[in-house]
Amino acid sequence: MEQDQPHGAPTLFQDASVFTVDYIPDPDPYRMIQAEELAYALRPGMAGSTPINVICRGLTGAGKTACVRAIFSEIEALTSRFVPVYVDCRVDRTRYSILSRISLNLTGRPPAEEMDESEVMGTIADHLLERRAVLVVCLDDIEHISRSVINHVLSVLLRMHETWPGVKVGVVAIVNRPYSNLGSTLEASTFSVFHPTEIIFPPFCVDEIRGILRDRVQQGLSLGVLSDEAFALVVERTMECGNIRLGLSLLRQAVMTAEQDGRRSVTREDVCTAYKNWCDGFLQAICVPK
């Protein structure tokens, strides 16, 4: 839990939200090729047809989620007839919770406790047919759900038109294991209706990492808060890890430390402390018995 900053302490953030994983940036210029490929796959949905299913593949922190959510945000701003729904499979890991999340996003209210899966599916279908809308579902971190859940959820979503004629659904699956074969986990009947196109997100190079973090610093911090030396260390640690989320976390935590100390600038030591805390938390997470 974040601590309240001391009374009268300087505010070093202009917008702290730009350093969080929930922040939805404009389409990243370093991911413009992938954004265009995703937009092309989803374009049929804008015309009322079924979109092309997609797998977005790359290491954690390679910009997949930010890219998908940016495109989803643009879709929502353009039309109400093509409805994007984001599902975090680290949070929703069962068949029922995933379908309930979709229903909640569509209707604005959770399914009644007594509703079974078929009734939840009926609610989703009725909502889409009433609005004459096309649905696209992003299943982020899809590898966090079991093979049986993956097969079931993909099958019921992509076969909805068989029970409810006129319903059109597409799926975007985000995979954080570049060399895993999602198709090998799917039953033949599921793969036949999924049949995705793949969009590859290669790791960011050092110049891209520097550019992305510099953009966030300019958006999120007051002028002069971060020294060139401290910023260079953040870039270095991020490049070593290959995860842009680490850089955002280091910036946020280092600035919070400076704020709590009542200082107007972030030091290299603040970044070192933030990195040590991140490493300790990572080691603790991977060492917890499953």
Side-chain angles (χ1 to χ4, degrees), residues 22 45 52 92 211 266:
D22 294 329
I52 298 170
D92 295 303
V266 174

Side-chain angles (χ1 to χ4, degrees), residues 40 47 84 93 114 147 164 172 180 197 202 209 220 244 258-259 269:
Y40 180 81
R93 302 179 65 173
E114 66 274 10
R147 176 177 179 174
W164 296 276
V172 177
S180 68
T197 184
I209 287 174
I244 200 69
E259 276 195 340
E269 288 69 30

